[in-house]
Amino acid sequence: MTRPPLYTRRPFLAGLLRQLPLLVVLLAVGTGLLMVTFEHWRRGLVVVGLALVGGGLLRLLLPLRRVGFLAVRSRPVDVVMMAGVGLTLTAVALAVPGE
């Protein structure tokens, strides 16, 4: 006898697991913004930029049923926007003259 799928046995848990990639990206962005708050702005912005690049990679590699709310538009648009903004933010943070 096979067990029913997780989304019918525990829909709340299945929904949380589906949003795990978004939670990882948001935690990394929050960590970067916390670093900016405590006057480590360059490292913080690099962390935020790399978190966005990571979100773009997650959107690229994960199937649609596992990506959750990282899927906003079509896959190419999401990947280009997230990775592009992340790379731009990282490049600008590293290009500003140092402390």
Side-chain angles (χ1 to χ4, degrees):
M1 178 178 209
T2 61
R3 294 174 57 177
L6 184 63
Y7 64 86
T8 58
R9 287 183 287 140
R10 294 200 168 96
F12 182 75
L13 180 63
L16 278 178
L17 288 176
R18 186 171 183 213
Q19 300 309 324
L20 199 59
L22 177 64
L23 181 64
V24 168
V25 172
L26 287 178
L27 285 175
V29 168
T31 302
L33 291 178
L34 197 62
M35 291 171 75
V36 170
T37 302
F38 291 114
E39 298 182 7
H40 297 287
W41 64 271
R42 184 184 310 266
R43 288 185 202 144
L45 289 179
V46 168
V47 168
V48 170
L50 293 178
L52 291 174
V53 170
L57 287 174
L58 284 173
R59 176 67 174 107
L60 179 67
L61 298 176
L62 291 176
L64 186 60
R65 70 180 189 280
R66 297 202 184 244
V67 77
F69 285 131
L70 280 180
V72 177
R73 294 170 190 87
S74 68
R75 182 174 288 184
V77 172
D78 283 342
V79 170
V80 167
M81 293 300 290
M82 271 198 285
V85 168
L87 287 173
T88 303
L89 183 63
T90 302
V92 168
L94 293 174
V96 172
E99 304 157 27

Coordinates of all heavy atoms in Angstrom, one line a residue:
M1 N 0.8 -1.2 0.0 CA 0.0 0.0 0.0 C 0.9 1.2 0.0 O 1.7 1.4 0.8 CB -0.9 0.0 1.2 CG -1.8 1.2 1.4 SD -2.8 0.9 2.8 CE -4.2 1.9 2.3
T2 N 0.7 2.1 -0.9 CA 1.5 3.3 -1.0 C 0.9 4.4 -0.2 O -0.4 4.5 -0.1 CB 1.6 3.8 -2.5 OG1 0.3 4.1 -3.0 CG2 2.3 2.7 -3.3
R3 N 1.7 5.3 0.3 CA 1.2 6.4 1.1 C 0.8 7.5 0.2 O 1.4 7.7 -0.9 CB 2.3 6.9 2.0 CG 2.7 5.9 3.1 CD 3.9 6.3 3.8 NE 3.7 7.6 4.5 CZ 4.5 8.2 5.3 NH1 5.7 7.6 5.6 NH2 4.3 9.4 5.8
P4 N -0.2 8.3 0.5 CA -0.5 9.5 -0.3 C 0.6 10.5 -0.3 O 1.4 10.5 0.6 CB -1.8 10.0 0.4 CG -1.9 9.4 1.7 CD -1.0 8.2 1.7
P5 N 0.6 11.4 -1.3 CA 1.7 12.4 -1.3 C 1.6 13.4 -0.1 O 0.6 13.5 0.5 CB 1.5 13.1 -2.7 CG 0.1 12.7 -3.1 CD -0.3 11.5 -2.4
L6 N 2.8 14.0 0.1 CA 2.9 14.9 1.2 C 1.9 16.1 1.2 O 1.3 16.5 2.2 CB 4.3 15.5 1.3 CG 4.6 16.4 2.5 CD1 4.5 15.6 3.8 CD2 6.0 17.0 2.4
Y7 N 1.6 16.6 0.0 CA 0.7 17.7 -0.1 C -0.8 17.3 0.3 O -1.6 18.2 0.6 CB 0.7 18.4 -1.5 CG 0.2 17.5 -2.6 CD1 -1.1 17.4 -2.9 CD2 1.2 16.8 -3.4 CE1 -1.5 16.6 -4.0 CE2 0.8 16.0 -4.4 CZ -0.6 16.0 -4.7 OH -1.0 15.2 -5.8
T8 N -1.1 16.1 0.3 CA -2.5 15.7 0.8 C -2.4 15.3 2.3 O -3.4 15.5 3.0 CB -3.0 14.5 0.0 OG1 -2.2 13.4 0.1 CG2 -3.3 14.9 -1.4
R9 N -1.3 14.7 2.8 CA -1.2 14.3 4.2 C -0.9 15.5 5.1 O -1.6 15.7 6.1 CB 0.0 13.4 4.4 CG -0.3 12.0 3.8 CD 0.9 11.0 4.1 NE 2.0 11.4 3.3 CZ 3.3 11.4 3.6 NH1 3.6 11.1 4.9 NH2 4.2 11.7 2.8
R10 N 0.0 16.4 4.7 CA 0.3 17.6 5.5 C 0.5 18.8 4.5 O 1.6 19.1 4.2 CB 1.6 17.3 6.2 CG 1.4 16.3 7.3 CD 2.5 16.4 8.3 NE 2.2 15.5 9.5 CZ 2.7 14.3 9.6 NH1 3.4 13.8 8.7 NH2 2.3 13.6 10.7
P11 N -0.5 19.4 4.1 CA -0.4 20.5 3.2 C 0.4 21.7 3.7 O 1.1 22.4 2.9 CB -1.9 20.9 2.9 CG -2.7 20.4 4.0 CD -1.9 19.2 4.5
F12 N 0.3 22.0 5.0 CA 1.1 23.2 5.5 C 2.6 22.9 5.4 O 3.3 23.8 4.9 CB 0.7 23.4 6.9 CG 1.4 24.6 7.5 CD1 1.1 25.9 7.2 CD2 2.5 24.4 8.4 CE1 1.7 27.0 7.7 CE2 3.1 25.5 8.9 CZ 2.8 26.8 8.6
L13 N 3.0 21.7 5.8 CA 4.4 21.3 5.7 C 4.9 21.3 4.2 O 6.0 21.8 3.9 CB 4.7 20.0 6.3 CG 6.1 19.5 6.3 CD1 7.0 20.4 7.1 CD2 6.1 18.1 6.9
A14 N 4.1 20.8 3.3 CA 4.4 20.7 1.9 C 4.6 22.2 1.4 O 5.5 22.4 0.6 CB 3.4 20.0 1.1
G15 N 3.7 23.1 1.8 CA 3.8 24.5 1.4 C 5.1 25.1 1.9 O 5.7 25.9 1.2
L16 N 5.4 24.8 3.1 CA 6.7 25.4 3.7 C 7.9 24.9 2.9 O 8.8 25.6 2.6 CB 6.8 25.1 5.1 CG 6.0 26.0 6.1 CD1 6.2 25.5 7.5 CD2 6.5 27.4 6.0
L17 N 7.9 23.6 2.7 CA 9.1 23.0 2.0 C 9.2 23.6 0.5 O 10.3 23.7 0.0 CB 8.9 21.5 1.9 CG 9.2 20.8 3.2 CD1 8.9 19.3 3.1 CD2 10.5 21.0 3.8
R18 N 8.0 23.9 -0.1 CA 8.1 24.4 -1.4 C 8.7 25.8 -1.4 O 9.3 26.3 -2.4 CB 6.7 24.5 -2.0 CG 6.6 24.9 -3.4 CD 5.3 24.7 -4.0 NE 5.3 25.1 -5.4 CZ 4.4 25.6 -6.1 NH1 3.2 25.8 -5.5 NH2 4.5 25.9 -7.3
Q19 N 8.5 26.6 -0.3 CA 9.1 27.9 -0.2 C 10.5 28.0 0.4 O 11.0 29.1 0.6 CB 8.1 28.8 0.6 CG 6.7 28.9 0.1 CD 6.6 29.3 -1.4 OE1 7.4 30.1 -1.9 NE2 5.7 28.7 -2.1
L20 N 11.1 26.9 0.6 CA 12.4 26.8 1.2 C 13.5 27.6 0.3 O 14.3 28.3 0.9 CB 12.9 25.4 1.4 CG 14.0 25.1 2.3 CD1 13.7 25.7 3.7 CD2 14.3 23.7 2.4
P21 N 13.5 27.5 -1.0 CA 14.5 28.3 -1.7 C 14.3 29.8 -1.5 O 15.3 30.5 -1.3 CB 14.2 28.0 -3.2 CG 13.6 26.6 -3.2 CD 12.8 26.6 -1.9
L22 N 13.1 30.3 -1.5 CA 12.9 31.7 -1.2 C 13.3 32.1 0.2 O 13.9 33.1 0.4 CB 11.4 32.1 -1.4 CG 11.0 33.5 -1.1 CD1 11.7 34.5 -2.0 CD2 9.5 33.7 -1.1
L23 N 13.1 31.2 1.2 CA 13.5 31.5 2.6 C 15.0 31.6 2.7 O 15.5 32.4 3.4 CB 13.0 30.4 3.5 CG 13.3 30.5 5.0 CD1 12.7 31.7 5.5 CD2 12.9 29.3 5.7
V24 N 15.7 30.7 1.9 CA 17.2 30.8 2.0 C 17.7 32.1 1.4 O 18.6 32.7 2.0 CB 17.8 29.6 1.2 CG1 19.3 29.7 0.9 CG2 17.5 28.3 1.9
V25 N 17.1 32.5 0.3 CA 17.5 33.8 -0.3 C 17.2 34.9 0.6 O 18.0 35.9 0.8 CB 16.9 34.0 -1.7 CG1 17.1 35.3 -2.3 CG2 17.4 32.9 -2.7
L26 N 16.0 34.9 1.2 CA 15.6 36.0 2.1 C 16.5 36.1 3.3 O 16.8 37.2 3.8 CB 14.1 35.9 2.5 CG 13.1 36.2 1.4 CD1 11.7 36.0 1.9 CD2 13.3 37.7 0.9
L27 N 16.9 34.9 3.9 CA 17.8 34.9 5.0 C 19.1 35.5 4.7 O 19.7 36.2 5.5 CB 17.9 33.5 5.6 CG 16.7 33.0 6.4 CD1 16.9 31.6 6.8 CD2 16.5 33.9 7.6
A28 N 19.6 35.2 3.5 CA 20.9 35.7 3.1 C 20.8 37.2 2.8 O 21.8 37.9 3.2 CB 21.4 35.0 1.8
V29 N 19.8 37.7 2.2 CA 19.6 39.1 2.0 C 19.5 39.8 3.4 O 20.1 40.9 3.6 CB 18.4 39.4 1.1 CG1 18.0 40.9 1.1 CG2 18.7 38.9 -0.3
G30 N 18.7 39.2 4.3 CA 18.6 39.8 5.6 C 19.9 39.9 6.4 O 20.2 40.9 7.0
T31 N 20.7 38.9 6.2 CA 22.1 38.9 6.8 C 22.9 40.0 6.2 O 23.6 40.7 7.0 CB 22.8 37.5 6.6 OG1 22.0 36.5 7.2 CG2 24.2 37.5 7.2
G32 N 22.9 40.2 4.9 CA 23.6 41.3 4.3 C 23.1 42.6 4.7 O 23.9 43.5 5.0
L33 N 21.8 42.8 4.8 CA 21.3 44.1 5.3 C 21.6 44.3 6.8 O 21.9 45.5 7.2 CB 19.8 44.1 5.1 CG 19.3 44.2 3.6 CD1 17.8 44.1 3.5 CD2 19.9 45.4 2.9
L34 N 21.7 43.3 7.6 CA 22.1 43.4 8.9 C 23.6 43.9 9.0 O 24.0 44.7 9.8 CB 21.9 42.1 9.7 CG 21.9 42.2 11.2 CD1 20.8 43.0 11.7 CD2 21.8 40.8 11.7
M35 N 24.4 43.4 8.1 CA 25.8 43.8 8.1 C 25.9 45.2 7.6 O 26.7 46.0 8.2 CB 26.6 42.9 7.1 CG 26.8 41.5 7.5 SD 27.4 40.4 6.3 CE 29.1 40.9 6.3
V36 N 25.1 45.7 6.7 CA 25.1 47.1 6.3 C 24.7 48.0 7.5 O 25.2 49.0 7.7 CB 24.1 47.3 5.1 CG1 23.9 48.8 4.9 CG2 24.6 46.6 3.9
T37 N 23.7 47.5 8.3 CA 23.3 48.2 9.5 C 24.4 48.5 10.5 O 24.5 49.5 11.1 CB 22.1 47.5 10.2 OG1 21.1 47.3 9.2 CG2 21.6 48.2 11.4
F38 N 25.3 47.5 10.6 CA 26.4 47.6 11.6 C 27.7 48.0 10.9 O 28.8 47.7 11.3 CB 26.6 46.2 12.3 CG 25.5 45.9 13.2 CD1 24.7 44.8 12.9 CD2 25.2 46.6 14.3 CE1 23.6 44.4 13.8 CE2 24.2 46.3 15.2 CZ 23.4 45.2 14.9
E39 N 27.5 48.9 9.9 CA 28.6 49.6 9.3 C 29.6 48.8 8.5 O 30.8 49.2 8.4 CB 29.3 50.5 10.3 CG 28.3 51.6 10.9 CD 29.0 52.5 11.9 OE1 30.2 52.4 12.0 OE2 28.3 53.3 12.5
H40 N 29.2 47.6 8.0 CA 30.1 46.9 7.1 C 29.3 46.8 5.8 O 29.0 45.8 5.3 CB 30.2 45.4 7.7 CG 30.9 45.4 9.0 ND1 32.3 45.6 9.1 CD2 30.5 45.1 10.2 CE1 32.6 45.5 10.4 NE2 31.6 45.2 11.1
W41 N 29.2 48.0 5.2 CA 28.3 48.2 4.0 C 28.8 47.4 2.8 O 28.1 46.9 2.1 CB 28.1 49.7 3.7 CG 29.4 50.4 3.3 CD1 30.2 51.0 4.1 CD2 29.9 50.5 2.0 NE1 31.3 51.6 3.4 CE2 31.1 51.3 2.1 CE3 29.5 50.1 0.7 CZ2 31.8 51.6 1.0 CZ3 30.2 50.4 -0.4 CH2 31.4 51.1 -0.2
R42 N 30.1 47.4 2.6 CA 30.7 46.8 1.4 C 30.4 45.3 1.5 O 29.9 44.7 0.6 CB 32.2 47.1 1.2 CG 32.7 46.5 0.0 CD 34.2 46.8 -0.2 NE 34.6 48.1 0.1 CZ 34.7 49.1 -0.9 NH1 34.6 48.7 -2.1 NH2 35.1 50.3 -0.6
R43 N 30.8 44.7 2.6 CA 30.6 43.2 2.7 C 29.1 42.9 2.7 O 28.7 41.9 2.1 CB 31.2 42.7 4.1 CG 32.7 42.7 4.1 CD 33.2 42.1 5.4 NE 34.5 42.5 5.6 CZ 35.0 42.8 6.8 NH1 34.3 42.7 7.9 NH2 36.3 43.2 6.9
G44 N 28.3 43.7 3.3 CA 26.9 43.5 3.4 C 26.3 43.5 2.0 O 25.4 42.7 1.6
L45 N 26.7 44.5 1.2 CA 26.1 44.6 -0.2 C 26.6 43.5 -1.1 O 25.9 43.0 -1.9 CB 26.4 46.0 -0.8 CG 25.7 47.1 -0.2 CD1 26.1 48.4 -0.9 CD2 24.2 46.9 -0.3
V46 N 27.8 43.0 -0.8 CA 28.3 41.8 -1.6 C 27.5 40.6 -1.2 O 27.1 39.8 -2.1 CB 29.8 41.6 -1.3 CG1 30.3 40.3 -1.9 CG2 30.6 42.8 -2.0
V47 N 27.2 40.5 0.1 CA 26.4 39.3 0.5 C 25.0 39.4 -0.1 O 24.4 38.4 -0.6 CB 26.3 39.3 2.1 CG1 25.2 38.3 2.5 CG2 27.6 38.9 2.7
V48 N 24.4 40.6 -0.2 CA 23.1 40.7 -0.8 C 23.2 40.4 -2.3 O 22.3 39.7 -2.8 CB 22.5 42.2 -0.6 CG1 21.3 42.4 -1.4 CG2 22.2 42.4 0.9
G49 N 24.2 40.9 -3.0 CA 24.3 40.6 -4.4 C 24.5 39.1 -4.7 O 23.9 38.6 -5.6
L50 N 25.4 38.5 -3.8 CA 25.6 37.1 -4.0 C 24.3 36.2 -3.7 O 24.1 35.2 -4.3 CB 26.8 36.6 -3.2 CG 28.1 37.2 -3.7 CD1 29.2 36.7 -2.8 CD2 28.4 36.8 -5.1
A51 N 23.5 36.7 -2.8 CA 22.3 36.0 -2.5 C 21.3 36.1 -3.7 O 20.7 35.1 -4.0 CB 21.6 36.7 -1.2
L52 N 21.3 37.3 -4.3 CA 20.5 37.4 -5.5 C 21.0 36.5 -6.7 O 20.2 35.9 -7.4 CB 20.4 38.9 -6.0 CG 19.6 39.8 -5.0 CD1 19.7 41.2 -5.5 CD2 18.2 39.3 -4.9
V53 N 22.3 36.4 -6.8 CA 22.9 35.5 -7.8 C 22.5 34.1 -7.5 O 22.1 33.3 -8.4 CB 24.4 35.7 -7.9 CG1 25.0 34.7 -8.8 CG2 24.7 37.1 -8.5
G54 N 22.6 33.7 -6.2 CA 22.2 32.4 -5.8 C 20.7 32.1 -6.0 O 20.3 31.0 -6.4
G55 N 19.9 33.1 -5.8 CA 18.5 33.0 -6.1 C 18.2 32.8 -7.6 O 17.4 32.0 -8.0
G56 N 19.0 33.5 -8.4 CA 18.9 33.2 -9.9 C 19.3 31.8 -10.3 O 18.7 31.2 -11.1
L57 N 20.4 31.3 -9.6 CA 20.8 30.0 -9.9 C 19.8 28.9 -9.4 O 19.5 27.9 -10.1 CB 22.2 29.7 -9.3 CG 23.4 30.4 -9.9 CD1 24.6 30.1 -9.1 CD2 23.5 29.9 -11.3
L58 N 19.2 29.2 -8.3 CA 18.1 28.3 -7.8 C 17.0 28.3 -8.8 O 16.4 27.2 -9.1 CB 17.6 28.7 -6.4 CG 18.6 28.4 -5.2 CD1 18.0 29.0 -3.9 CD2 18.7 26.9 -5.1
R59 N 16.6 29.5 -9.2 CA 15.5 29.5 -10.2 C 15.8 28.8 -11.5 O 15.0 28.2 -12.1 CB 15.2 31.0 -10.5 CG 14.1 31.2 -11.5 CD 12.7 30.7 -11.0 NE 11.7 31.1 -12.0 CZ 11.1 30.2 -12.8 NH1 11.4 28.9 -12.7 NH2 10.2 30.6 -13.6
L60 N 17.1 28.9 -11.9 CA 17.5 28.2 -13.1 C 17.5 26.7 -13.0 O 17.1 25.9 -13.9 CB 18.9 28.7 -13.5 CG 19.5 28.1 -14.8 CD1 18.7 28.5 -16.0 CD2 21.0 28.5 -14.9
L61 N 18.0 26.2 -11.8 CA 18.2 24.8 -11.7 C 17.0 24.0 -11.1 O 16.9 22.8 -11.4 CB 19.4 24.5 -10.8 CG 20.7 25.1 -11.3 CD1 21.9 24.9 -10.3 CD2 21.1 24.5 -12.6
L62 N 16.2 24.6 -10.3 CA 15.1 23.8 -9.6 C 13.9 23.7 -10.6 O 13.6 24.6 -11.3 CB 14.7 24.5 -8.3 CG 15.7 24.5 -7.2 CD1 15.1 25.3 -6.0 CD2 15.9 23.0 -6.8
P63 N 13.2 22.6 -10.5 CA 12.0 22.4 -11.3 C 10.9 23.4 -10.7 O 10.9 23.8 -9.6 CB 11.6 21.0 -11.1 CG 12.3 20.5 -9.9 CD 13.5 21.3 -9.7
L64 N 9.9 23.6 -11.5 CA 8.9 24.6 -11.2 C 8.1 24.2 -9.9 O 7.8 25.1 -9.1 CB 7.9 24.8 -12.4 CG 6.9 25.9 -12.2 CD1 7.5 27.2 -12.1 CD2 6.0 25.9 -13.4
R65 N 7.9 22.9 -9.7 CA 7.1 22.5 -8.5 C 7.9 22.7 -7.2 O 7.3 22.6 -6.2 CB 6.7 21.1 -8.7 CG 7.7 20.1 -8.6 CD 7.2 18.7 -8.8 NE 8.2 17.7 -8.5 CZ 9.1 17.3 -9.3 NH1 9.2 17.8 -10.5 NH2 10.0 16.4 -8.9
R66 N 9.2 22.9 -7.3 CA 10.0 23.1 -6.1 C 10.5 24.5 -5.9 O 11.1 24.8 -4.8 CB 11.2 22.2 -6.1 CG 10.8 20.7 -6.1 CD 11.9 19.9 -5.6 NE 11.5 18.5 -5.8 CZ 11.4 17.7 -4.7 NH1 11.6 18.1 -3.5 NH2 11.0 16.4 -4.9
V67 N 10.3 25.4 -6.8 CA 10.9 26.7 -6.7 C 10.1 27.7 -5.9 O 10.6 28.7 -5.4 CB 11.3 27.2 -8.1 CG1 10.1 27.7 -8.8 CG2 12.4 28.3 -8.1
G68 N 8.8 27.4 -5.8 CA 8.0 28.3 -5.0 C 7.8 29.7 -5.5 O 7.7 29.9 -6.7
F69 N 7.8 30.7 -4.6 CA 7.6 32.1 -5.1 C 8.8 32.7 -5.7 O 8.8 33.9 -6.0 CB 7.1 32.9 -3.9 CG 5.7 32.7 -3.5 CD1 5.4 32.4 -2.2 CD2 4.7 32.6 -4.5 CE1 4.1 32.2 -1.8 CE2 3.4 32.4 -4.1 CZ 3.1 32.2 -2.8
L70 N 9.9 32.0 -5.9 CA 11.0 32.5 -6.7 C 10.6 32.6 -8.2 O 11.2 33.4 -8.9 CB 12.3 31.7 -6.6 CG 13.1 31.9 -5.4 CD1 14.3 30.9 -5.4 CD2 13.6 33.3 -5.2
A71 N 9.6 31.8 -8.5 CA 9.0 31.9 -9.9 C 8.0 33.0 -10.0 O 6.9 32.9 -9.5 CB 8.4 30.5 -10.3
V72 N 8.4 34.1 -10.6 CA 7.4 35.2 -10.7 C 7.0 35.4 -12.2 O 5.8 35.5 -12.5 CB 8.1 36.5 -10.2 CG1 7.2 37.7 -10.4 CG2 8.5 36.4 -8.8
R73 N 8.0 35.3 -13.1 CA 7.7 35.4 -14.5 C 8.2 34.2 -15.2 O 8.3 33.1 -14.5 CB 8.4 36.7 -15.0 CG 7.8 37.9 -14.4 CD 8.6 39.2 -14.8 NE 8.1 40.3 -14.0 CZ 8.5 40.6 -12.8 NH1 9.4 39.9 -12.2 NH2 8.1 41.6 -12.2
S74 N 8.6 34.3 -16.4 CA 9.2 33.1 -17.1 C 10.6 32.8 -16.5 O 11.2 33.7 -16.0 CB 9.2 33.3 -18.6 OG 10.1 34.3 -18.9
R75 N 11.0 31.6 -16.7 CA 12.4 31.3 -16.1 C 13.5 32.2 -16.6 O 14.3 32.7 -15.8 CB 12.6 29.8 -16.4 CG 14.0 29.4 -15.8 CD 14.2 27.9 -16.0 NE 13.3 27.2 -15.1 CZ 13.3 25.9 -14.9 NH1 14.1 25.1 -15.6 NH2 12.4 25.4 -14.1
P76 N 13.6 32.4 -18.0 CA 14.7 33.3 -18.4 C 14.6 34.7 -17.9 O 15.7 35.2 -17.5 CB 14.5 33.3 -20.0 CG 13.7 32.1 -20.3 CD 12.8 31.8 -19.1
V77 N 13.4 35.2 -17.8 CA 13.3 36.6 -17.2 C 13.7 36.6 -15.8 O 14.5 37.5 -15.3 CB 11.9 37.1 -17.4 CG1 11.7 38.5 -16.7 CG2 11.6 37.3 -18.9
D78 N 13.3 35.7 -15.0 CA 13.6 35.6 -13.6 C 15.1 35.5 -13.4 O 15.7 36.1 -12.5 CB 12.9 34.5 -12.9 CG 11.4 34.7 -12.6 OD1 11.0 35.9 -12.6 OD2 10.7 33.8 -12.3
V79 N 15.7 34.6 -14.1 CA 17.2 34.3 -13.9 C 18.0 35.5 -14.3 O 18.9 36.0 -13.6 CB 17.6 33.1 -14.8 CG1 19.1 32.9 -14.8 CG2 16.9 31.8 -14.2
V80 N 17.7 36.1 -15.5 CA 18.4 37.3 -15.9 C 18.3 38.5 -15.0 O 19.2 39.1 -14.6 CB 18.0 37.7 -17.4 CG1 18.5 39.0 -17.8 CG2 18.5 36.6 -18.4
M81 N 17.0 38.7 -14.5 CA 16.8 39.8 -13.6 C 17.5 39.6 -12.3 O 18.2 40.5 -11.8 CB 15.3 40.1 -13.4 CG 14.6 40.5 -14.6 SD 15.2 42.1 -15.3 CE 14.6 43.2 -14.0
M82 N 17.3 38.5 -11.6 CA 17.9 38.3 -10.3 C 19.5 38.2 -10.4 O 20.2 38.9 -9.6 CB 17.4 37.0 -9.7 CG 16.2 37.2 -8.9 SD 15.8 35.9 -7.7 CE 15.2 34.6 -8.8
A83 N 20.0 37.4 -11.3 CA 21.4 37.3 -11.4 C 22.0 38.7 -11.9 O 23.1 39.1 -11.4 CB 21.8 36.2 -12.4
G84 N 21.4 39.3 -12.8 CA 21.9 40.6 -13.3 C 21.9 41.7 -12.2 O 22.9 42.4 -12.1
V85 N 20.9 41.8 -11.4 CA 20.8 42.8 -10.3 C 21.9 42.4 -9.3 O 22.6 43.2 -8.8 CB 19.4 42.9 -9.7 CG1 19.5 43.7 -8.4 CG2 18.5 43.5 -10.7
G86 N 22.0 41.1 -9.0 CA 23.0 40.6 -8.0 C 24.4 40.9 -8.5 O 25.2 41.4 -7.7
L87 N 24.7 40.6 -9.7 CA 26.1 40.9 -10.2 C 26.4 42.4 -10.3 O 27.5 42.8 -9.9 CB 26.3 40.3 -11.6 CG 26.4 38.8 -11.6 CD1 26.4 38.3 -13.1 CD2 27.7 38.3 -10.9
T88 N 25.4 43.2 -10.7 CA 25.5 44.6 -10.7 C 25.8 45.2 -9.3 O 26.7 46.0 -9.1 CB 24.3 45.3 -11.4 OG1 24.1 44.8 -12.7 CG2 24.5 46.8 -11.5
L89 N 25.0 44.8 -8.4 CA 25.1 45.3 -7.0 C 26.5 44.9 -6.4 O 27.2 45.7 -5.8 CB 24.0 44.7 -6.1 CG 24.0 45.2 -4.7 CD1 23.7 46.7 -4.6 CD2 22.9 44.4 -3.9
T90 N 26.9 43.7 -6.7 CA 28.2 43.2 -6.2 C 29.4 44.0 -6.9 O 30.3 44.5 -6.2 CB 28.4 41.7 -6.5 OG1 27.4 41.0 -5.9 CG2 29.8 41.2 -6.0
A91 N 29.3 44.2 -8.2 CA 30.3 45.0 -8.9 C 30.3 46.5 -8.4 O 31.4 47.0 -8.2 CB 30.0 45.0 -10.4
V92 N 29.2 47.1 -8.2 CA 29.2 48.5 -7.7 C 29.8 48.6 -6.3 O 30.5 49.5 -6.0 CB 27.8 49.0 -7.8 CG1 27.7 50.4 -7.0 CG2 27.4 49.2 -9.2
A93 N 29.4 47.6 -5.4 CA 29.9 47.6 -4.1 C 31.4 47.5 -4.0 O 32.1 48.1 -3.2 CB 29.2 46.5 -3.3
L94 N 32.0 46.6 -4.9 CA 33.4 46.4 -5.0 C 34.1 47.6 -5.7 O 35.3 47.8 -5.5 CB 33.7 45.1 -5.6 CG 33.3 43.9 -4.8 CD1 33.5 42.6 -5.6 CD2 33.9 43.8 -3.5
A95 N 33.4 48.3 -6.6 CA 34.1 49.4 -7.3 C 34.2 50.7 -6.6 O 35.0 51.5 -6.9 CB 33.3 49.6 -8.6
V96 N 33.3 50.9 -5.6 CA 33.4 52.2 -4.8 C 34.7 52.2 -4.1 O 35.1 51.2 -3.4 CB 32.1 52.2 -3.9 CG1 32.3 53.4 -3.0 CG2 30.9 52.3 -4.7
P97 N 35.4 53.4 -4.1 CA 36.7 53.5 -3.4 C 36.5 53.1 -1.9 O 35.5 53.4 -1.3 CB 37.1 54.9 -3.6 CG 36.4 55.4 -4.8 CD 35.1 54.6 -4.8
G98 N 37.5 52.4 -1.4 CA 37.5 51.8 -0.1 C 37.5 52.8 1.1 O 37.7 54.0 1.0
E99 N 37.5 52.2 2.3 CA 37.4 52.9 3.5 C 38.8 53.4 4.0 O 39.7 52.8 3.9 CB 36.8 52.0 4.6 CG 35.4 51.5 4.1 CD 35.0 50.2 4.8 OE1 35.5 49.9 5.9 OE2 34.3 49.5 4.2

